[in-house]
Amino acid sequence: EKLASIGRLSAGIVHEINNPLNYVKSAIFLLKKKSKNAPPELGESITRICGDIGEGVDRVSAIVSDLRTFAHPENRGARPIDLHLTAEKALRLLAKEINDRGVHLSLDIPPGQLALGDENYTIQILINLVQNSLDALEGHSSPAIRLYIDATEKNVILAVADNGPGIPEDVQASIFDPFFTTKEVGQGMGLGLSICHRMMTQMQGDIQIRTRLGEFTEFRLLFPHAAAPDSQPASLPA
């Protein structure tokens, strides 16, 4: 129900933001056109400013496009997805919080890295894991999060690691249970990791945890290797 509510909210935001964005894009186009008739020095200044505005509008458009992922979750076929592009979409939605908290983030996923899965699910999982890392790093003197690729013969592994305090062994056994949480009352319902686990299972994958107290926590998303380009998308189990 929570994810469905996010979808409905995102659909409304996408519609409301796209309309004024189109007005801004049209205005930039007309302003650039008129700048050709301005004196050279003024024309160059206008073109430069329009370029800056256009870059900002493109960034907003990218964020709106990412939100659309939540608004249209109907595509649930397991198919080859680009993990680099998928991670970038997830991180764009958290960029302000990452910067505000002064966290050093490393994205070590090569462009074109494919795995078999679902982009919508993977974005939601990454947002949840990175958000958990941000919370765990609160008060850390040198907070860092790293997303990187590992691989085995069977799986492509997308790891989300932080240099936070780690997770006690007695907590690890229950960490994927619904409604289990170590956060204060009102700060979480304990559904995030349970939902992540369910989504990975539905994508025919798995999620594992590696951690050491006082040093790090790493969640490892195990995806099947991408199917051959001419193969048909597999149906996800209900």
Side-chain angles (χ1 to χ4, degrees), residues 136 162-168 172 209-217:
D162 66 60
N163 62 340
I167 300 174
Q172 295 177 40
I209 182 173
R210 292 172 52 194
T211 183
R212 187 175 296 133
L213 283 179
E215 295 187 25
F216 73 92
T217 297

Side-chain angles (χ1 to χ4, degrees), residues 199-228:
M199 288 179 173
M200 288 304 301
T201 300
Q202 289 180 325
M203 289 189 289
Q204 304 165 27
D206 197 7
I207 180 170
Q208 300 174 349
I209 182 173
R210 292 172 52 194
T211 183
R212 187 175 296 133
L213 283 179
E215 295 187 25
F216 73 92
T217 297
E218 176 179 285
F219 284 93
R220 296 167 67 81
L221 306 178
L222 281 66
F223 295 89
H225 284 282

Side-chain angles (χ1 to χ4, degrees), residues 1-15 67 70-73:
E1 291 178 358
K2 185 177 181 182
L3 292 176
S5 297
I6 293 174
R8 289 192 293 270
L9 175 64
S10 300
I13 292 174
V14 167
H15 176 74
L67 285 172
F70 292 105
H72 301 285

